Amino acid sequence: MSPAGSSRWCPTPEQVMILEEMYRSGIKTPNASQIQQITSHLSFYGKIEGKNVFYWFQNHKARERQKLRRKLQLQQQQLYHTYNYPFLHYFDSPASPASQHLSYYNSPSPFPQQVGVLEDAAKQQVMKYTWKLDVPERADIDYKSMMKMYGGDWLMMVDLGPSLSSSPCYFTTTRPPLKTLQLFPVTASSLKEECNSSSPKPLSCSITANNSTPPQVALTLP
Amino acid sequence: MSPAGSSRWCPTPEQVMILEEMYRSGIKTPNASQIQQITSHLSFYGKIEGKNVFYWFQNHKARERQKLRRKLQLQQQQLYHTYNYPFLHYFDSPASPASQHLSYYNSPSPFPQQVGVLEDAAKQQVMKYTWKLDVPERADIDYKSMMKMYGGDWLMMVDLGPSLSSSPCYFTTTRPPLKTLQLFPVTASSLKEECNSSSPKPLSCSITANNSTPPQVALTLP
DNA sequence: GCAAATTAATGATTTATTCAAG
DNA sequence: CTTGAATAAATCATTAATTTGC
């Protein structure tokens, strides 16, 4: 399905270039604001969404760490060999191991040795979670939300459509009453059936409660 | 900050009881719909939000697995000992190790041995990510969104306010134009400053580009 | 040259680990 | 010490490079 819709993001060279430059310049775990801005900017060079940027930084950071680890392992190995066989591996050992941690990519940065200075900066205070909504009439629609409690209410970001042009973002603290969910009481089996379509022994879990007594949870076989 | 707003959810005994019962009854990784319904139901017994339910199931599943692993390790250890010292550990070995995987909690379920049957159900297809938005006038507001591409548009769930009463949920595919974000061009330093407030060497990253030439990324020290 | 077959990169999920509040 | 919340590591899965045989 190459035309008109791939299953995963395929970054353009420009996008990769800019992302790498930003990473090198110190942005390791961008917050939502940064992601949003980066996304709108990169959308100029091709189809891109916020999650792509988010994932890119996640993966890039992780894989830089990985490379670093492997490099250090290798060095230790070499150290071992050098120690045990001092006349071997004399010319092909890395020149300045400690100072070239992050100079992997080929773009000639004006600050080749400054990279990684901000590595262990204060950790981002982001919290993430997800869920999947099955609207009764429309199965298998899932949503990912990004919210924060703010002054007692949930705020939420709207990012409609993959930003092909420079994408505007909207916020709201009001509720456009478009659709309501089916509410309780709901049995555990009706909840469960979305989870396991081929459950060997379907149970029915009914929960009855009122304000004064502890809730009664009853499991029954239909 | 105990009165009028704790920093983390404190589940009531009823809530825990119901959650455990649901877990036992087969709900291991509820989707958004289930989470929403569970949340609205449990909000009857106290303050609770969707993310609490989400996290609870995540942690509970992980820690059950952990317990299981440790138990199995222990058993193997015991097997080893039994094999090497056959007369020790004779009476205190577990009665029926294979059949009581998940009967840890103390609530007397009518189906004590049926638990865990649905353990390796089809994996949820949820995708999660987060970002944090800093609205210019109001620092440190972060949002968590839950979205999915659906027919070319992002759908999004709105969950306003911790559901103290049975909470209605709203969906929208339209854009209420309430607030716009600051857009590009943005320097990397302005992006970065939210990330590291005490960066030792602030860089300025300016990106210039047009449609025909490759983008120019320039880092400069202010 | 050019596809089918393999391999390497890397985008996207899931699982495990760690942090920190109470 | 328990456990809610957050982060990092491991894993899966798809796409691009590349090799290979014709």
Side-chain angles (χ1 to χ4, degrees), chain A residues 146-196:
Chain A
M146 177 175 77
M147 308 186 249
K148 170 161 188 166
M149 264 295 270
Y150 180 65
D153 260 356
W154 281 98
L155 297 182
M156 155 220 40
M157 205 192 72
V158 187
D159 179 16
L160 291 154
S163 53
L164 286 162
S165 59
S166 93
S167 66
C169 309
Y170 299 107
F171 302 87
T172 179
T173 54
T174 62
R175 322 181 175 199
L178 294 180
K179 195 162 187 61
T180 58
L181 266 186
Q182 175 194 5
L183 293 179
F184 270 86
V186 176
T187 62
S189 63
S190 76
L191 286 175
K192 210 176 51 186
E193 67 187 10
E194 297 166 354
C195 212
N196 330 71

Side-chain angles (χ1 to χ4, degrees), chain B residues 67-135:
Chain B
K67 282 185 199 172
L68 199 74
R69 269 198 306 275
R70 286 177 184 170
K71 201 165 190 173
L72 288 175
Q73 269 175 256
L74 200 87
Q75 277 177 216
Q76 288 184 346
Q77 228 172 329
Q78 286 181 343
L79 270 176
Y80 170 82
H81 278 124
T82 313
Y83 180 75
N84 292 284
Y85 313 98
F87 294 103
L88 301 176
H89 305 292
Y90 188 73
F91 289 106
D92 55 5
S93 65
S96 170
S99 61
Q100 50 181 229
H101 280 174
L102 284 162
S103 56
Y104 280 96
Y105 285 116
N106 49 6
S107 77
S109 165
F111 305 99
Q113 302 306 344
Q114 199 175 16
V115 157
V117 172
L118 310 171
E119 182 66 291
D120 44 11
K123 294 184 179 178
Q124 298 284 327
Q125 299 291 59
V126 285
M127 171 201 66
K128 48 188 119 130
Y129 72 100
T130 316
W131 31 26
K132 180 177 178 181
L133 280 176
D134 289 72
V135 180

